[in-house]
Amino acid sequence: DIQMTQSPSTLSASVGDRVTITCRASQSISSWLAWYQQKPGKAPKLLIYKASSLESGVPSRFSGSGSGTEFTLTISSLQPDDFATYYCQQYNSYPITFGQGTRLEIK
Amino acid sequence: QVQLVESGGGLVKPGGSLRLSCAASGFTFSDYYMSWIRQAPGKGLEWVSYISSSGSTIYYADSVKGRFTISRDNAKNSLYLQMNSLRAEDTAVYYCARASNYGDYFPPYFDYWGQGTLVTVSS
């Protein structure tokens, strides 16, 4: 199974900050990586697929990059609505696996 | 707009069974692959199962293989998860999700999710 490891597990930041979350795969997954945002009590929401493709309707302050085993999700200027938990997911091979999540909290 | 509405969750004793349903609307259900994904209380996301648009290709996580069965009824725009021999570690919110279409055998990402249904396995 491909293990996905996110860092940091928790990130404290302020409105307007630029933040980056990292996701590492235990083996190469090419660009088959998605990012999701989840708020408490809600379903996850797709932000990014194929490592860097922005899902329709997602604000352009979100961006993704990387290939192989290392990937990043960047939020260019944090907005109040962005404080949530973020998950990466590999879809290179079965079983599909998710990172453990990064909780983005207000500093 | 795309809507996925899960139902069928509840409290069940260890060893018991439960059948989850997911009613889909707002898109041509028969054209899309679907999956179930779960989240234990306070934990991360765990993919459970996948079914192709025709139902001919199915995958399961090892943790549920042999106990859970995914199925679909395209005439009813519905996805199902039959869960047998339930264990305490199956306690979670279960989400149905629409999957990307890369082909029957290629793993997907998930572009729409339902609100989830809670399954609690406890004596």
Side-chain angles (χ1 to χ4, degrees), chain A residues 38-44, chain B residues 39 93 95 115-116:
Chain A
Q38 186 179 34
K39 296 181 179 178
K42 300 294 187 183
Chain B
Q39 187 170 35
V93 173
Y95 296 102
Q115 85 289 348

Side-chain angles (χ1 to χ4, degrees), chain A residues 1 32 34 36 38 42-44 46 49-50 55 87 89 91-96 98 100, chain B residues 37 39 43-47 50 59 95 102 104-111 113-115:
Chain A
D1 299 4
W32 305 118
Y36 301 88
Q38 186 179 34
K42 300 294 187 183
L46 176 67
Y49 61 95
K50 209 173 179 186
E55 173 69 353
Y87 293 94
Q89 175 227 327
Y91 54 105
N92 180 78
S93 62
Y94 286 102
I96 293 164
F98 292 85
Q100 82 280 13
Chain B
I37 297 151
Q39 187 170 35
K43 302 296 185 184
L45 300 167
E46 180 188 15
W47 169 77
Y50 155 96
Y59 292 98
Y95 296 102
Y102 284 120
D104 277 19
Y105 302 102
F106 199 88
Y109 62 88
F110 308 105
D111 60 357
W113 300 57
Q115 85 289 348

Side-chain angles (χ1 to χ4, degrees), chain B residues 65-105:
Chain B
K65 202 174 294 183
R67 301 186 299 122
F68 289 12
T69 302
I70 191 172
S71 62
R72 64 191 295 160
D73 185 336
N74 286 342
K76 294 183 177 180
N77 292 338
S78 293
L79 176 72
Y80 306 102
L81 186 68
Q82 177 67 43
M83 304 186 296
N84 298 330
S85 304
L86 283 160
R87 306 166 180 166
E89 55 265 35
D90 295 319
T91 294
V93 173
Y94 284 73
Y95 296 102
C96 76
R98 194 178 82 168
S100 58
N101 285 3
Y102 284 120
D104 277 19
Y105 302 102

